[in-house]
Amino acid sequence: MSTTTTNQSGAGAPGRRKAPAGERVADWADGRLGIYSLAKANMRKIFPDHWSFMLGEVCLYSFVIIILTGVYLTLFFHPSMNEVVYHGSYVPMQGMHMSEAFKSTLDISFDVRGGLLIRQIHHWAALIFLAGMFVHMMRVFFTGAFRKPREVNWLFGFLLFVLGMFTGFTGYSLPDDLLSGTGVRFMEGAILSVPIIGTYISMFLFGGEFPGSDFVPRFFSIHVLLLPGIMLGLLVAHLILVIYHKHTQFPGPGRTNKNVVGLPLMPVYMAKAGGFFFLVFGIIAAIAAIASINPIWAIGPYRPDQVSTGAQPDWYMGFAEGLIRVMPGWEINLWGHTLVLGVFIPLVIFPLVLGAIAVWPFIESWVTGDKREHHLLDRPRNAPTRTAFGAAWIAAYFVMLVGGGNDLWATHFHLSINAITWFVRIGFFVIPVLTFIATRRICMGLQRRDKDKVLHGRESGIIKRLPHGEFVEVHEPLSQEQLHTLTAHQQPQPLELEPEYDENGVARKAGAGQRLKVKLSKGFYGEGTQIPKATREEYEEITSGHGHH
């Protein structure tokens, strides 16, 4: 009797079917990379299904589109300031002196197959990426998704937005056209106004006096290598933390801080995400094909002795430019040196505002004393003070955006540019305060409406006449799901100072920091900042028949 010796995989065993090629490749990869165990742990991960979570996906897909189109454009763009004479396809500019950067951009637009469409897609995708980041961060802010344990992820998202702003600025400066050159000249003047280090920074960026011959190659390296590399690392870290911390979800029946109710990553969510990517790509491509953006051939190459009329930054830089445009031209002389306050003060305000946005999760946690983990989101109306701060910041941003385009507002609406400037100067301090007050009152009004709906039900529109002649509207009671959604939120109480004496009669002394913390906490959660939600006793009393129609 003889025996047949086989290897571990069973190859050579009589009558045994040979595994398909795809399976053998998968086994080979899994044996070296551990893909199966990784996929098994994460492919069935649950993601909640809500339209607002798509905002982050718009940002992700726009970033992918930016990278893909940017790689294509890099193949044909020449980041050089060397002067050449144009003899290309665009007849009106033939014979003009221009830089190689401007000439190659014209060649991409008129001679490279699909070049103009790719340029337009690249630019529109950048604008949509930053717009998506702005709205996505506002969604995270207004719903409290930045709270523990997601403070670090908020910082990652914030850095992605800020780096995206500077990546966009360096990108639209590369063609060396008159519009972008005017913006770079504006930035160079702002940098030079910084005391002590301004001239050093300017020389480092431009390689000498503006415009020099090095700033396009340097901006090119920053735009295609440095900033995208950092952003890609932050994006990967951001997504890893989203998976690690699990996704936030809106309150509802069966949803707690310990579970996630939604759809699995595979196959449902991946199929939806894949379709959504092509939808975003198609919409951006359609916009790029229809709406022209940055037509450099209509603007011309940059010349230091010219300024483009109506030169405007992209919308995301409007806040910074608005600060400088409306700031009075103050100057002071110290020890023989001139400090240009008209530029220096805006350069201080802008990073302070950005810094306040970055550290907000830590400020709110300190003020409220809330150290718990939060995986359920807030409805914005249930956090009136936070919502009011967010609305006030948006109001301030749009006021300064008007300041950044004060010349266009003046020419298009036949207004005095001085009147617009003074409106922005006053509005920067007044409008955010009014917005804060109005937003908090609106939130409290919505809380009262929710409480009334819980206690009395939903207005049905059906009118009944009672036996004694009174007409009343019939209210339909809410479902248990609706009741849960309207009452599931918590209403924290403001912090209080500890008693002046402890249980042993020893005097306590509250520090200035503790007193400030308690005062701010009362501003967040004190009297007049929220409407007490309906209690079980109130609900049972009304639904038992007393005063309920």
Side-chain angles (χ1 to χ4, degrees), residues 383-508:
T385 303
R386 180 204 301 148
T387 302
F389 270 117
W393 182 86
I394 294 174
Y397 182 88
F398 280 106
V399 167
M400 299 317 297
L401 198 60
V402 173
N406 57 359
D407 53 342
L408 293 185
W409 283 87
T411 56
H412 282 64
F413 295 97
H414 307 289
L415 301 172
S416 165
I417 196 168
N418 290 328
I420 295 172
T421 300
W422 275 105
F423 166 78
V424 174
R425 287 175 179 174
I426 298 172
F428 181 70
F429 297 99
V430 175
I431 292 179
V433 175
L434 297 178
T435 304
F436 179 90
I437 296 171
T439 302
R440 192 154 75 168
R441 291 184 66 86
I442 290 171
C443 288
M444 293 174 66
L446 292 172
Q447 286 186 25
R448 290 189 184 94
R449 180 170 174 267
D450 287 346
K451 182 176 181 178
D452 183 71
K453 288 174 67 175
V454 168
L455 295 177
H456 301 288
R458 183 180 65 86
E459 296 176 354
S460 65
I462 300 174
I463 306 298
K464 282 189 176 182
R465 183 178 182 182
L466 300 182
H468 58 275
E470 179 185 1
F471 288 93
V472 296
E473 182 179 14
V474 176
H475 285 218
E476 295 179 356
L478 301 181
S479 65
Q480 290 298 314
E481 178 180 351
Q482 292 171 320
L483 288 173
H484 179 87
T485 301
L486 296 181
T487 58
H489 61 283
Q490 298 178 345
Q491 292 187 319
Q493 298 301 313
L495 302 177
E496 298 288 347
L497 285 174
E498 295 180 342
E500 295 184 8
Y501 298 93
D502 61 14
E503 62 276 6
N504 299 319
V506 178
R508 289 191 179 101

Side-chain angles (χ1 to χ4, degrees), residues 147-302:
R147 293 172 294 178
K148 183 182 178 181
R150 296 176 180 83
E151 301 97 330
V152 174
N153 224 10
W154 168 265
L155 289 175
F156 286 166
F158 168 80
L159 289 174
L160 277 169
F161 180 71
V162 173
L163 291 177
M165 291 169 55
F166 289 104
T167 306
F169 176 80
T170 54
Y172 76 63
S173 301
L174 292 180
D176 194 34
D177 60 288
L178 187 57
L179 177 63
S180 66
T182 303
V184 175
R185 179 65 168 176
F186 178 91
M187 183 199 72
E188 191 253 356
I191 291 174
L192 286 177
S193 70
V194 178
I196 302 175
I197 62 173
T199 52
Y200 295 98
I201 297 175
S202 177
M203 292 293 180
F204 173 76
L205 280 177
F206 299 102
E209 293 292 338
F210 180 85
S213 60
D214 294 333
F215 91 87
V216 167
R218 294 185 183 194
F219 276 28
F220 181 76
S221 299
I222 294 171
H223 180 72
V224 305
L225 182 63
L226 179 61
L227 295 180
I230 298 174
M231 291 176 68
L232 188 60
L234 288 172
L235 182 62
V236 171
H238 185 77
L239 295 176
I240 289 174
L241 286 180
V242 168
I243 295 174
Y244 176 72
H245 290 142
K246 74 184 180 182
H247 215 298
T248 55
Q249 57 186 343
F250 284 95
R255 299 173 183 177
T256 68
N257 274 315
K258 297 182 179 180
N259 71 349
V260 178
V261 178
L263 301 171
L265 178 63
M266 284 290 290
V268 180
Y269 198 81
M270 286 295 291
K272 293 177 64 176
F276 193 51
F277 168 76
F278 289 107
L279 180 63
V280 172
F281 204 149
I283 291 175
I284 292 177
I287 295 173
I290 294 170
S292 177
I293 188 170
N294 197 21
I296 62 165
W297 54 89
I299 301 171
Y302 177 69

Side-chain angles (χ1 to χ4, degrees), residues 148 151 362 365-374 517:
K148 183 182 178 181
E151 301 97 330
F362 307 97
S365 176
W366 178 74
V367 169
T368 60
D370 187 0
K371 306 300 180 184
R372 300 166 299 165
E373 287 195 3
H374 294 273
K517 180 178 179 179

